[in-house]
Amino acid sequence: MNYIAFELDVLFEHDFFSELGYFFARSMAVAYNAKDPIVMVSCALVLQALLDGHVCLDMTTLEGTQKNLSETGHLIVKYPDAETWTTALRKSSMISDSIHTPLVLDSGLKLYLARYFHFQNRLVENIAQRVNFPSPPMDETLIDEFLEEFFPGCDENHLPQKKAVKNAVLKRFSIISGGPGTGKTFVIRTIRRLLSLYTKKIGQAEQKIICVAPTGKAASKLEEGSTIHNALRLLIKKPGFYYNKNNLLNKDVVIIDEASMIDLPLLARLLEAVPLEAKVIMTGDKHQLTSIQAGAVFNDLCAVNELSSNTISLSYNFRSRGKTGIEKLSKAINEGDIQHFEALLLSKDYPDLIFKDYDNSESVMGILQTYIMEGYRPFNDAQNAAEALTKLDEFRILCAHNKGEYGSLQVNHICEKILRSSYNSDIEEKSFIKAIMVNSNDYKKGLFNGDTGVAIEKNGKITAFFKDLDNNIRQYRYSDLPSHDMAFAITIHKSQGSEFDSVLMFIPSRFSPVVTKQLLYTGVTRARKKVIIIGNLDIMKAAISVNVKRHSGVEEYLGKQIRKQIS
C-alpha cells in the first residue's frame, strides 16, 4: 500500500482532478505566489467540485479521510486533517471569509469560489426577505369559499393540493414539490383561477401573473408560459439580463415551474428581478435530477426547516392511483427499497413495466430493432410536420450517457439506420423524418437549448419544424438552425421537463458515477404509460444506494438568515 503525496503535480498525474482544475490551480499559484501544496491542491479541488455540480468544496466530508487511486487499492491519497488543512488555507492571501479574495472559506469549513459564494448570499438574502415580508391583507374567509368550490367534498388525496393552493395565495413565497401525476399543473391553474376570481370579487385590478420554466418544453405546458431567459430578456451585446435587481419585472405573481432544474446563479438572478411585494411560487420535484450546472437549490429549499410552513409536498399520483408498475417502481427507487425494486422488474405482473437484462440470450440490437420499429412507427408514418411533432411525444429512448456504448449519440445513429432501412420506396420519393434537439440558444430565431423539433428530408432538401410556446408551428431552413443533434435518443438529463407515453431506457452494463437513484427515478417517471428498461440488474440495484447530495450552504445560511430577520 503506497500513500501518494498531497501535491498538485503528483495527484494530477493520477487523474485526481481535471486539466481545468490543474491549470486553474497553477495560475492561482503564480498570481498569489502560493507554494503550499495544500493550498494548490485545494484550488484544483474547489474547481473540480464546481464541475461536479457542487456549489462549494465541503471539507468536513473529506478531512482526514483517504481515497483509493487504483482498482487494486495499492495507491492511496490521504486528505489533511481539519486543523492542518484550515491553517494552510487561512495563511494564504488568495483565501478569506469574504468575496474580496478569489476563494472564500467559511466557518463551516466550506470552500467556495467567491463568485458562487456571492450568488449564494444573494439568493439567501432575497428569499429570507420574501419570507419575512408582510403578507398582503386578504379575506381568508372568501378564499376558503373559493377553495370549497374548487375542491368540493375534499378527500385526503386532494387535501395537500388544497393546502398548496391556499398557501400560494396567502404567502409571499411558497414551494410545491411533487412527482409526475400528483397535480402540480392542476394546482398552478387553480391558483391562477382563484386569484382572478378573488380580485374581481373585491373589485381590484387583475393581477399581473407570469409563469416561467427553465426550458421551452417545460414552459409550453404552462398557461402563457415563458422560458426564464425570455422573461428576463438576455442582453445580446453584453452579459446579464434586461430585467434585474435595478430594473424589476412588472409582475404581481411569478410562478416558477420545474424549479429543480434551475441552477444557483440563474435562480438568484431571477428572484432579484422580481419585486419583493410580488408572490413567488416555486414548483418542482425534489426527487428528480438536479440542474446540469452548479447547485441543487430546489432540494436545498425543500429541506430548510424554517420554510416548512411555506412548503407543501404532493405525493398521491392521480394518474395511476398507486396501481401501475411505473409508480410502484419509482416509489421503490425513492425509498431505496432494493428488494422491492428487483421483485417489480422480474415479476412481469405489470404490463407498463418491461425489463430486459443485458445478460440474457436476446441481443441488445435485436431488442432495439423491435422497440424502435414499434415505438417510432406512428412518427415514421406521419403525413406532415404537425402530425410528426405530435407523434414525437409518444415514444422516446433515454440514455444515461451522451457518449460511449449505448449512449445517445450511438443509439441515434442506430435509430436512423433502422428507420431509413425500413422504407420500401426510394428515399427520393418518400420523405424521411428525424427528431432533432437544439443544444444552444438562438434568440433571433426563437430557438433555445432543449427545444425539440423534426427535420423532414425530401428530394434532397431538409426543412426543420418546431412548435413555439403558443403551439404554432414554425419552419426553418435546416442549414439555418443553431447547433443541434438527432433526438430519437436523448440523455435522461435532457428529458427533464418532458413526459412521453412510452420510454425505452438504457442503463450502462458497467458501473458509472452518473447512474444514481435520481437518474433512475427521473428516467422511469418520464413515462406516462410504459417504460422498457434495458440494463444490468446488479448495476441498477447498486445505483439505488447512490443518493447524490450536492454540497452548498443554502440550507444552513437561509435558515440562519430567516431566524436573524425574525429576531
Side-chain angles (χ1 to χ4, degrees):
M1 189 180 299
N2 296 318
Y3 283 92
I4 301 298
F6 200 73
E7 295 178 0
L8 187 69
D9 290 331
V10 175
L11 292 175
F12 180 56
E13 287 174 7
H14 290 89
D15 299 320
F16 195 58
F17 29 67
S18 67
E19 283 190 4
L20 191 60
Y22 173 76
F23 286 109
F24 170 71
R26 298 293 302 180
S27 299
M28 292 291 287
V30 171
Y32 286 86
N33 193 29
K35 295 185 172 21
D36 192 319
I38 292 178
V39 173
M40 295 170 70
V41 171
S42 297
C43 283
L45 289 175
V46 74
L47 188 64
Q48 188 61 52
L50 185 66
L51 296 174
D52 291 338
H54 304 287
V55 174
C56 60
L57 176 69
D58 189 346
M59 293 161 51
T60 62
T61 65
L62 299 174
E63 58 95 9
T65 65
Q66 55 187 38
K67 181 178 179 180
N68 292 332
L69 295 181
S70 64
E71 293 183 2
T72 60
H74 291 310
L75 294 177
I76 294 176
V77 60
K78 187 173 182 179
Y79 291 93
D81 62 82
E83 184 177 355
T84 303
W85 203 344
T86 55
T87 299
L89 295 181
R90 286 175 177 144
K91 286 181 180 179
S92 173
S93 59
M94 73 172 78
I95 302 167
S96 71
D97 60 357
S98 75
I99 60 170
H100 300 300
T101 52
L103 299 182
V104 177
L105 177 65
D106 72 6
S107 59
L109 301 189
K110 292 183 175 69
L111 185 64
Y112 298 79
L113 289 176
R115 180 173 185 265
Y116 283 86
F117 187 71
H118 187 44
F119 273 124
Q120 180 177 279
N121 285 348
R122 287 161 58 182
L123 179 75
V124 163
E125 178 67 23
N126 186 283
I127 293 177
Q129 285 182 317
R130 292 182 185 282
V131 172
N132 291 317
F133 201 82
S135 294
M138 299 185 76
D139 186 339
E140 193 169 342
T141 302
L142 180 58
I143 290 170
D144 286 336
E145 289 177 8
F146 285 129
L147 285 170
E148 286 304 313
E149 293 180 22
F150 294 135
F151 298 93
C154 184
D155 59 23
E156 62 178 356
N157 295 326
H158 287 86
L159 186 59
Q161 290 186 334
K162 186 177 180 180
K163 287 181 178 178
V165 173
K166 185 171 183 178
N167 219 35
V169 169
L170 290 176
K171 294 182 182 295
R172 296 282 188 188
F173 183 80
S174 59
I175 297 170
I176 303 165
S177 177
T182 56
K184 296 192 300 295
T185 303
F186 168 75
V187 167
I188 290 171
R189 286 201 306 266
T190 305
I191 290 167
R192 295 191 63 151
R193 287 172 61 199
L194 196 153
L195 287 171
S196 177
L197 289 172
Y198 180 85
T199 52
K200 286 178 183 177
K201 186 74 173 179
I202 65 174
Q204 285 185 351
E206 189 83 8
Q207 292 197 312
K208 295 182 283 293
I209 301 174
I210 186 172
C211 295
V212 299
T215 66
K217 187 71 174 180
S220 67
K221 296 187 296 183
L222 300 168
E223 183 182 346
E224 299 175 6
S226 170
T227 64
I228 295 171
H229 286 80
N230 261 357
L232 295 181
R233 288 174 52 184
L234 188 71
L235 298 174
I236 305 300
K237 295 184 179 180
K238 59 181 181 179
F241 294 100
Y242 176 77
Y243 290 107
N244 52 58
K245 63 182 179 181
N246 298 315
N247 183 32
L248 301 178
L249 287 161
N250 183 23
K251 300 296 177 183
D252 301 304
V253 181
V254 178
I255 299 172
I256 308 167
D257 197 22
E258 296 291 351
S260 62
M261 298 169 62
I262 307 173
D263 60 64
L264 172 64
L266 182 58
L267 185 59
R269 286 169 169 151
L270 171 59
L271 292 184
E272 284 181 341
V274 178
L276 275 181
E277 61 270 19
K279 295 182 190 298
V280 171
I281 302 157
M282 295 180 66
T283 70
D285 184 351
K286 64 183 178 182
H287 299 300
Q288 203 171 278
L289 280 168
T290 52
S291 62
I292 293 175
Q293 303 299 324
V297 190
F298 187 75
N299 301 49
D300 288 339
L301 296 181
C302 289
V304 176
N305 288 331
E306 290 75 10
L307 286 178
S308 59
S309 64
N310 301 71
T311 304
I312 300 292
S313 292
L314 308 177
S315 58
Y316 184 75
N317 192 316
F318 292 90
R319 184 186 302 160
S320 59
R321 302 185 182 276
K323 298 177 181 179
T324 66
I326 290 173
E327 184 182 353
K328 291 179 184 296
L329 191 70
S330 62
K331 186 177 180 181
I333 293 169
N334 267 343
E335 294 176 352
D337 190 340
I338 296 174
Q339 188 175 355
H340 192 206
F341 174 83
E342 181 176 10
L344 285 166
L345 284 185
L346 299 179
S347 71
K348 298 183 180 180
D349 291 337
Y350 298 93
D352 63 326
L353 195 57
I354 298 172
F355 172 58
K356 299 288 184 180
D357 199 308
Y358 281 115
D359 298 331
N360 67 16
S361 57
E362 291 181 85
S363 72
V364 175
M365 281 303 298
I367 297 170
L368 260 180
Q369 176 88 25
T370 299
Y371 284 112
I372 286 171
M373 290 302 300
E374 178 185 317
Y376 279 122
R377 180 173 287 113
F379 172 79
N380 209 20
D381 293 341
Q383 299 300 304
N384 52 54
E387 186 180 352
L389 285 165
T390 300
K391 298 296 183 184
L392 188 54
D393 280 349
E394 292 184 1
F395 176 75
R396 194 62 59 87
I397 301 174
L398 305 183
C399 304
H401 297 105
N402 185 34
K403 298 178 182 179
E405 186 179 24
Y406 299 116
S408 59
L409 290 175
Q410 184 191 38
V411 175
N412 269 311
H413 290 303
I414 293 171
C415 286
E416 184 176 26
K417 184 177 179 180
I418 290 173
L419 292 172
R420 280 189 184 276
S421 66
S422 69
Y423 291 128
N424 296 319
S425 57
D426 186 84
I427 190 69
E428 293 296 316
E429 297 177 7
K430 181 175 171 65
S431 60
F432 175 71
I433 310 174
K434 66 179 179 180
I436 54 176
M437 177 180 280
V438 173
N439 54 35
S440 64
N441 295 329
D442 189 324
Y443 291 87
K444 289 183 178 178
K445 292 185 175 64
L447 291 173
F448 303 96
N449 185 15
D451 285 354
T452 306
V454 298
I456 300 180
E457 177 185 331
K458 191 170 186 179
N459 300 325
K461 180 183 178 182
I462 308 177
T463 308
F465 300 87
F466 291 82
K467 281 186 180 180
D468 63 19
L469 293 178
D470 297 319
N471 277 324
N472 299 313
I473 296 177
R474 302 177 67 177
Q475 179 176 326
Y476 303 85
R477 287 191 305 181
Y478 191 71
S479 58
D480 289 342
L481 292 179
S483 175
H484 61 279
D485 295 309
M486 267 194 295
F488 292 115
I490 59 177
T491 61
I492 295 173
H493 263 100
K494 287 193 173 183
S495 74
Q496 292 183 94
S498 300
E499 287 185 279
F500 312 98
D501 288 347
S502 298
V503 160
L504 172 62
M505 187 166 73
F506 268 107
I507 300 300
S509 58
R510 299 181 182 87
F511 171 78
S512 169
V514 306
V515 182
T516 62
K517 174 191 288 189
Q518 288 89 343
L519 183 120
L520 290 176
Y521 170 82
T522 303
V524 168
T525 55
R526 295 313 91 199
R528 298 187 191 98
K529 299 177 180 178
K530 179 188 287 187
V531 62
I532 306 117
I533 302 175
I534 303 177
N536 176 280
L537 187 55
D538 289 335
I539 293 293
M540 289 190 287
K541 285 161 61 178
I544 291 175
S545 302
V546 182
N547 188 19
V548 176
K549 168 66 177 172
R550 286 191 171 180
H551 300 142
S552 82
V554 171
E555 182 182 346
E556 173 193 353
Y557 279 73
L558 182 55
K560 287 181 180 177
Q561 190 65 22
I562 291 173
R563 293 194 302 272
K564 178 181 176 183
Q565 290 192 7
I566 290 174
S567 61

